[in-house]
Amino acid sequence: MGIFRTLTSNLTVIRLSSVRNNKIIMARRLHASRTDGVDKNVWVEFTKLAADYKAVNLGQGFPDFSPPKFVQDAFCNAVSGGFQMHQYTRAFGHPPLVKNMAKFFSRIVGHEIDPFEDILVTVGAYQALFSAFQALIDEGDEVIIVEPFFDCYQPMVKMAGGKAVYVPLRPKADGAILSSGDWVLNPKELESKITPSTKAIVINTPNNPLGKVYKTEELQMIADLCIKHDMLCISDEVYEWLTYDGAKHVKIASLPGMWERTITVGSGGKTFSATGWKVGWAIGAGHIIKHMKTIHQNTVYHCATAAQEAVAQGFEREYEVFGTPESYFLQLPAMLYHKRNKLAACLQSVGLQPIMPEGGYFMIADISSVKVDLNDKRTEGESYDFRFVKWLTKEKGLATIPVSAFYSPEHSKEFDKYIRFCFVKEDSTLDAAGDILRKWSQAQ
Amino acid sequence: MNTARLVLNCTKFACYPANINCRRRLCTSQYMMSRHSHTKRIAGLDKNVWVAFTSVAADPSIVNLGQGFPDIPPPSYVKEALAKAASVDRMNQYTRGFGHPSLVKALSQVYGKVCERQIDPFKEILVTVGGYGSLFSTMQALVEEGDEVIIIEPFFDCYVPMVRMAGAKPVLIPLRLKPGKKQTITSADWYLDPDELSSKFNSRTKAIIINTPNNPIGKVFTREELQMIADLCIKHDTLCFSDEVYEWLVYRGHQHIKIATLPGMWDRTITIGSAGKTFSVTGWKLGWSVGPEHLIKHLQTVMQNTLYTCPTPLQEAVAQGLLLNLKMIDQPECYFSSLAEELEGKRDRMAAILQEAGMTPVIPEGGYFMLVDVTSLNQDLSHMDDDDAYDYKFVKWMIKEKKLAAIPVTAFVGDESKKQFEKYIRLCFIKQDSTLDAAEEILKNWSKI
């Protein structure tokens, strides 16, 4: 009896463990191939690192100060509003929001924007980008991406079955490279990348991570090529209000012949310093937006109502005060200008060479002159800037982002001596970062 | 440049054979149209029943029992939690991409208790933009060209276009009404034929989608029915996507069973839930997928390449709401049960009104919709557009003539089953008393002109 019982329980153990070990539940492929090669993500990796080491976080791009009071109040009003604020709104964009945006942007773009045909509200600019690629890029289509690029463009193109073709911004040959304005596209190089399969070009102005604000002539050059080769243009303008030193943000969609072929992507999060609300949009000609709507209605369908209501009120208020000192769109860049300068001075004082951004949230710094022993077996084989950033986070408690994450595999080796800092932080955060850098520099 | 533009504007110009660029520019307007047309993945997916009916029903003079959203307020504590969350600086900025920590922890506690298993908040849960977003992430992560996905009719309408957008083939099987008269038809009278279901599985079947409680019928699948499905999933080694957004809305005498809790099913099931349906806040658009790490990780990959993260303050508020109700889970004050109790009353009231008006409701065991058979009204709709199925015509007619909005049920079935369902319309009863009063008025006066 005893033997029998022992045998039975052993058999049970064996059976259970074979079931438990049998994690591979399908003989054939489990996940869809569209998820191949897009599983690594720099944000997932580095935000976790910053959190784990409780580092002073100049990494991910979000403000550590609050949104302006008028939008916070607008959000609270929305939350305590009628029951409608907590139920589904119009799928393609809450009516007050699209109407206010159409009114606001029409005069900037120089084209009468139809709120219901020409605008799609999305869950952050991120989803606007995703919808654009899914709606317009088929297997085999080529998409030109200007480097350095916000990292998601590449996996999104890949997931849509498209082929990314990279064209780097390069520092001008002559003189010192002190500003993002010194990084330019080579028109011949750009045109050489265009083939009959090229469906679109993606530009980002102001640029993340470099901070470049494309000048009219530069956009005109791109526009000419778009028209000549009948390409679409996806223009990521999430930092559109953040320009410094007199640089002017120009919308490529406002150039002749470009409205009908451009999708302009914007962000409530970056506009109103409320990245956690995830309200973004795509504005463009109706015949293009309609395809993005089809994607939208088969992916998330609706976006959160209350957040849209708050952004709608934000735009209404900004419309009234546009161009006046009251405007948040003037106050925010003015405030960030000082922070930018503060961080730049701090980096220079410790021998790091920053490239002054003309716009945006970020500054990149050249780390090639820094001598440090990156003796970490765990990061062996990774590119220099990745290793450096991990070392800086773990050993010094300062989080940043490696710039080669914003480059294609073919060009990342050329640009692995830069790291990216976000300066849209409270002065106390910037001071803390300054302290860390000073101590480190003194110790050397 | 100017010449080119002039030429561009004149689409009727003859195409000169001369040089390529000139020809291109001449034909550019039409060329542009085809060049900038949509991708293959959305071919035929642009039509949508909601787009067709929601704007029509938005007219305030129409009593809207169509789209599924409450016109009753959500519990005040969730609204308060949201206002409180938004007042904290950090809550207005990005949170963890796969789900705000306090929310995924709360979800793992709630579902851990319900499923009686340890659920890892970081590896076995993904927070998405509504249940809809979970369905999308699941399809994109796990379904592709060459796959077949079994869908039970009537189905929440997005399942088919999402399967198609993922490049796969939807395989449909209808719920069938048990034959033989009955005084009152309920959603329990609709069943899946086991042999028919079995015949739908083959080596290409990647997954079956189930929805319990079901929208639109309101069927709550029994343990035996789920076991039958589970047996087939295991036998054919397929996945199961279980849409359980109405999981708390189950009426007396019925129990919501999670197919993921059946033996052998946890490892092959994605279970989808919704804050919008749980807390009557459809406009918050938060949902979640719960499942084994080896499946959820692929949904997370999709998430990080589609919208990256969901709104922070909303997630924080839902977390608070879940924790509050978890404390009271076996008590009557718990919203998970109090809402169901409130809705049961509305359900019964709605059914009675419809019966009075000469229609035949299908009493739902769960969810907040009711199917209504309008055959006995013998409404003549021959004057309307022949292309539409009877229920589409009926609903359009009813909105126009009776100022009452519903949703046609053939929107939830494939072509082959249309005949079976075209005498049914769907009504949503999660509405405040004044809305139901207004509906009652219309239905009482139905026969009067």
Side-chain angles (χ1 to χ4, degrees):
Chain A
M1 194 56 175
I3 301 169
F4 191 70
R5 203 174 314 143
T6 314
L7 269 174
T8 323
S9 69
N10 281 344
L11 276 169
T12 314
V13 165
I14 292 163
R15 190 162 48 85
L16 276 173
S17 59
S18 70
V19 165
R20 228 196 321 267
N21 287 336
N22 188 19
K23 275 287 178 239
I24 302 152
I25 60 161
M26 313 199 98
R28 62 199 147 110
R29 194 185 170 71
L30 190 60
H31 57 278
S33 36
R34 68 177 66 80
T35 62
D36 280 339
V38 298
D39 50 318
K40 294 265 172 297
N41 182 284
V42 66
W43 309 111
V44 173
E45 193 182 0
F46 285 92
T47 34
K48 185 171 188 303
L49 196 67
D52 287 347
Y53 284 86
K54 299 200 179 3
V56 172
N57 195 354
L58 300 194
Q60 194 183 10
F62 61 86
D64 64 2
F65 48 81
S66 63
K69 189 163 186 312
F70 68 87
V71 283
Q72 280 195 297
D73 288 346
F75 193 90
C76 286
N77 289 340
V79 170
S80 55
F83 82 88
Q84 303 273 23
M85 285 292 125
H86 299 282
Q87 308 306 333
Y88 295 128
T89 182
R90 176 177 168 270
F92 305 131
H94 187 51
L97 176 56
V98 293
K99 285 181 192 161
N100 287 354
M101 275 174 32
K103 197 168 85 169
F104 189 92
F105 286 107
S106 288
R107 64 181 176 187
I108 298 178
V109 170
H111 179 102
E112 201 57 47
I113 299 173
D114 182 317
F116 300 110
E117 301 298 316
D118 300 342
I119 301 179
L120 174 66
V121 175
T122 55
V123 179
Y126 216 94
Q127 197 222 329
L129 290 162
F130 175 76
S131 302
F133 291 120
Q134 288 284 311
L136 303 162
I137 305 302
D138 251 328
E139 188 96 26
D141 285 340
E142 290 181 14
V143 179
I144 295 179
I145 298 177
V146 178
E147 303 182 286
F149 55 90
F150 181 53
D151 73 301
C152 79
Y153 304 160
Q154 179 262 331
M156 285 185 182
V157 166
K158 189 172 196 304
M159 217 172 125
K163 178 173 172 238
V165 173
Y166 302 96
V167 182
L169 286 163
R170 294 182 191 287
K172 278 187 196 146
D174 51 344
I177 312 305
L178 299 173
S179 153
S180 58
D182 298 321
W183 291 60
V184 295
L185 275 177
N186 180 322
K188 285 198 173 47
E189 187 181 7
L190 175 54
E191 186 156 23
S192 75
K193 303 284 186 164
I194 301 173
T195 74
S197 300
T198 310
K199 191 77 180 281
I201 177 170
V202 187
I203 64 168
N204 175 215
T205 179
N207 171 277
N208 170 7
L210 188 56
K212 178 181 177 63
V213 174
Y214 286 67
K215 300 181 182 47
T216 308
E217 313 80 76
E218 293 174 301
L219 294 174
Q220 189 62 66
M221 183 267 289
I222 296 170
D224 289 344
L225 288 170
C226 285
I227 292 167
K228 178 176 175 188
H229 297 275
D230 196 23
M231 295 174 347
L232 295 168
C233 178
I234 298 171
S235 185
D236 177 352
E237 302 182 11
V238 296
Y239 302 106
E240 58 186 306
W241 303 111
L242 306 181
T243 56
Y244 317 115
D245 296 329
K248 288 234 168 318
H249 174 72
V250 178
K251 287 183 169 297
I252 196 169
S254 65
L255 270 48
M258 290 304 287
W259 168 258
E260 51 264 39
R261 60 180 68 251
T262 305
I263 296 150
T264 303
V265 170
S267 159
K270 302 295 194 287
T271 296
F272 292 110
S273 306
T275 61
W277 290 10
K278 291 292 290 184
V279 176
W281 51 80
I283 300 179
H287 68 263
I288 296 180
I289 294 292
K290 79 176 183 200
H291 300 309
M292 290 177 60
K293 285 177 177 174
T294 303
I295 294 289
H296 187 76
Q297 82 197 28
N298 289 299
T299 54
V300 300
Y301 208 169
H302 300 85
C303 302
T305 311
Q308 292 189 67
E309 175 67 27
V311 175
Q313 293 188 27
F315 270 111
E316 176 154 356
R317 189 255 190 198
E318 284 300 310
Y319 184 82
E320 300 303 321
V321 302
F322 189 68
T324 76
E326 302 279 293
S327 165
Y328 188 66
F329 299 166
L330 291 178
Q331 291 170 347
L332 181 60
M335 175 173 77
L336 295 185
Y337 174 71
H338 294 294
K339 294 179 188 288
R340 178 198 76 156
N341 294 349
K342 185 183 166 94
L343 180 65
C346 170
L347 293 174
Q348 273 157 340
S349 72
V350 300
L352 285 172
Q353 187 50 54
I355 292 157
M356 281 303 245
E358 300 154 283
Y361 266 20
F362 309 103
M363 174 181 303
I364 72 173
D366 187 336
I367 52 171
S368 47
S369 58
V370 177
K371 302 274 172 286
V372 79
D373 180 13
L374 298 179
N375 194 12
D376 188 347
K377 284 246 170 295
R378 290 166 297 178
T379 62
E380 228 171 61
E382 289 179 15
S383 60
Y384 185 82
D385 56 342
F386 271 69
R387 303 185 71 201
F388 185 94
V389 165
K390 287 181 182 178
W391 175 86
L392 193 61
T393 309
K394 293 175 189 169
E395 300 302 325
K396 300 294 172 192
L398 178 60
T400 57
I401 300 289
V403 169
S404 66
F406 302 93
Y407 276 90
S408 60
E410 49 254 51
H411 297 134
S412 61
K413 277 278 166 292
E414 281 176 60
F415 297 97
D416 68 349
K417 297 293 191 315
Y418 297 95
I419 62 177
R420 186 195 83 168
F421 293 82
C422 174
F423 53 85
V424 183
K425 303 290 176 187
E426 291 272 37
D427 283 348
S428 54
T429 312
L430 297 174
D431 288 336
D435 286 339
I436 290 171
L437 291 168
R438 246 184 309 278
K439 280 201 191 79
W440 174 32
S441 142
Q442 278 157 9
Q444 291 213 295
Chain B
M1 188 58 194
N2 277 330
T3 320
R5 213 163 347 112
L6 194 68
V7 159
L8 265 172
N9 289 335
C10 306
T11 55
K12 301 262 188 309
F13 261 53
C15 284
Y16 295 102
N19 84 61
I20 288 262
N21 276 341
C22 183
R23 202 184 317 146
R24 245 191 172 180
R25 284 185 214 135
L26 282 164
C27 306
T28 298
S29 300
Q30 286 141 310
Y31 182 58
M32 191 162 81
M33 283 309 155
S34 65
R35 188 92 160 79
H36 299 169
S37 71
H38 58 76
T39 48
K40 297 190 191 69
R41 66 180 60 84
I42 51 175
L45 302 189
D46 49 320
K47 297 263 172 299
N48 181 288
V49 68
W50 312 110
V51 173
F53 285 95
T54 37
S55 50
V56 170
D59 174 351
S61 70
I62 293 178
V63 178
N64 190 359
L65 301 189
Q67 194 184 7
F69 62 86
D71 65 4
I72 50 181
S76 55
Y77 55 79
V78 284
K79 289 198 288 181
E80 278 152 25
L82 181 56
K84 189 153 156 253
S87 67
V88 175
D89 281 357
R90 189 64 188 83
M91 293 289 158
N92 289 303
Q93 309 304 336
Y94 294 130
T95 183
R96 176 178 170 269
F98 305 141
H100 187 52
S102 59
L103 177 55
V104 293
K105 286 179 192 162
L107 286 166
S108 91
Q109 283 179 268
V110 169
Y111 289 111
K113 188 175 161 72
V114 169
C115 298
E116 286 174 348
R117 70 177 291 133
Q118 287 267 43
I119 298 178
D120 184 320
F122 302 111
K123 297 192 175 139
E124 296 180 315
I125 298 178
L126 174 67
V127 176
T128 56
V129 178
Y132 218 94
S134 269
L135 288 161
F136 178 73
S137 301
T138 301
M139 296 303 173
Q140 289 287 307
L142 303 169
V143 173
E144 62 184 335
E145 193 150 342
D147 289 340
E148 290 183 11
V149 177
I150 298 175
I151 297 173
I152 300 167
E153 297 168 303
F155 51 87
F156 180 54
D157 73 300
C158 78
Y159 300 164
V160 162
M162 283 190 183
V163 166
R164 287 175 54 200
M165 200 173 138
K169 180 179 169 214
V171 171
L172 307 178
I173 173 171
L175 285 167
R176 295 187 185 282
L177 184 56
K178 282 183 195 147
K181 115 52 235 152
K182 260 196 64 172
Q183 192 62 302
T184 321
I185 312 275
T186 78
S187 55
D189 295 319
W190 293 76
Y191 73 102
L192 270 181
D193 181 310
D195 292 331
E196 190 179 7
L197 180 59
S198 181
S199 75
K200 302 287 181 179
F201 280 80
N202 60 45
S203 59
R204 286 178 304 280
T205 310
K206 191 68 179 281
I208 177 168
I209 303 176
I210 65 169
N211 176 214
T212 178
N214 167 280
N215 170 9
I217 290 190
K219 178 180 176 61
V220 173
F221 284 70
T222 62
R223 188 176 290 278
E224 297 69 46
E225 289 172 313
L226 293 174
Q227 189 62 63
M228 188 254 296
I229 295 169
D231 290 342
L232 284 164
C233 286
I234 292 167
K235 176 177 174 184
H236 294 274
D237 196 21
T238 69
L239 298 172
C240 178
F241 304 155
S242 186
D243 176 352
E244 303 182 13
V245 296
Y246 301 105
E247 59 186 307
W248 305 112
L249 303 182
V250 172
Y251 305 120
R252 260 174 309 181
H254 309 287
Q255 198 196 357
H256 175 70
I257 311 278
K258 287 182 166 300
I259 196 170
T261 59
L262 269 50
M265 289 306 285
W266 172 260
D267 283 331
R268 56 180 73 251
T269 305
I270 300 280
T271 305
I272 293 169
S274 158
K277 305 293 193 269
T278 297
F279 289 113
S280 306
V281 286
T282 61
W284 287 25
K285 286 295 293 188
L286 279 177
W288 41 81
S289 300
V290 179
E293 183 185 351
H294 63 267
L295 294 180
I296 291 290
K297 76 179 184 197
H298 300 303
L299 276 70
Q300 289 177 338
T301 298
V302 171
M303 183 70 175
Q304 82 196 21
N305 290 301
T306 52
L307 49 101
Y308 194 78
T309 184
C310 292
T312 315
L314 296 167
Q315 293 190 68
E316 177 62 29
V318 174
Q320 298 303 323
L322 287 171
L323 290 173
L324 191 76
N325 281 290
L326 184 61
K327 283 199 198 82
M328 321 187 264
I329 201 154
D330 293 314
Q331 291 159 42
E333 300 84 61
C334 178
Y335 195 68
F336 302 164
S337 37
S338 69
L339 180 61
E341 207 180 297
E342 186 184 347
L343 288 183
E344 191 167 334
K346 293 182 192 283
R347 176 196 73 166
D348 294 341
R349 181 182 170 191
M350 189 87 246
I353 301 170
L354 291 163
Q355 278 158 337
E356 280 285 314
M359 302 186 215
T360 314
V362 175
I363 315 294
E365 302 152 275
Y368 47 63
F369 303 105
M370 183 177 295
L371 239 56
V372 188
D373 184 343
V374 300
T375 313
S376 47
L377 292 178
N378 282 315
Q379 186 59 45
D380 176 16
L381 300 171
S382 48
H383 59 284
M384 293 182 72
D385 182 5
D386 252 345
D387 277 345
D388 275 344
Y390 185 85
D391 56 343
Y392 269 74
K393 290 195 276 212
F394 187 93
V395 167
K396 286 179 180 171
W397 170 85
M398 189 171 75
I399 291 175
K400 184 155 178 264
E401 300 300 327
K402 300 292 178 186
K403 300 268 181 243
L404 178 63
I407 297 289
V409 173
T410 57
F412 302 96
V413 306
D415 288 339
E416 285 170 27
S417 298
K418 279 195 183 344
K419 275 271 162 278
Q420 203 187 327
F421 289 94
E422 69 171 353
K423 289 295 170 47
Y424 291 94
I425 62 174
R426 185 195 83 168
L427 296 177
C428 173
F429 54 87
I430 185 167
K431 303 289 177 187
Q432 57 186 325
D433 287 340
S434 55
T435 311
L436 297 179
D437 290 340
E440 184 169 8
E441 264 311 295
I442 294 170
L443 289 161
K444 268 210 178 87
N445 296 315
W446 191 272
S447 340
K448 304 174 188 150
I449 303 300

